[in-house]
Amino acid sequence: MAPTLKCVIAWSERRPLGELLAAQLAESAGEGNVLRLGGAACAVYTAEEPADLRDRLRGRLEEGESLLVLEFERWSSSGPAIDSRWLLARGH
């Protein structure tokens, strides 16, 4: 299966999840295929299915923490904080 672009978002009221999320994604997809999008969100370019990605990542979450994985084919961005070149290089 070909890689697609996904957005992974994690929430916790007790601890920051951004570094943990990015490290876990880089472990399987490679560091160059992960882009941090703020505090606890990442874009990742991977062939892993959203449900499989969710299942693998939720093993690192604690009780009460949440995770959302979105796969998308279209996107739009604005502003210097969004690395559009990174996104465009991954088929969009």
Side-chain angles (χ1 to χ4, degrees):
M1 172 174 266
T4 60
L5 194 58
K6 287 137 183 115
C7 180
V8 182
I9 306 166
W11 292 270
S12 175
E13 292 186 18
R14 295 182 305 277
R15 63 184 179 139
L17 294 176
E19 288 297 321
L20 172 72
L21 183 62
Q24 289 298 301
L25 292 169
E27 216 172 80
S28 61
E31 196 168 314
N33 286 319
V34 177
L35 177 65
R36 290 281 305 269
L37 302 171
C42 294
V44 60
Y45 188 64
T46 178
E48 199 167 359
E49 288 292 322
D52 296 333
L53 188 56
R54 176 208 58 212
D55 291 345
R56 185 172 56 77
L57 293 172
R58 76 176 168 190
R60 300 300 306 253
L61 299 180
E62 296 174 357
E63 188 173 328
E65 295 176 335
S66 300
L67 177 68
L68 175 65
V69 180
L70 306 164
E71 181 175 30
F72 53 94
E73 291 302 318
R74 291 193 258 169
W75 59 272
S76 182
S77 67
S78 177
I82 306 300
D83 191 344
S84 296
R85 289 185 307 166
W86 186 94
L87 293 165
L88 287 168
R90 284 150 182 88
H92 290 72

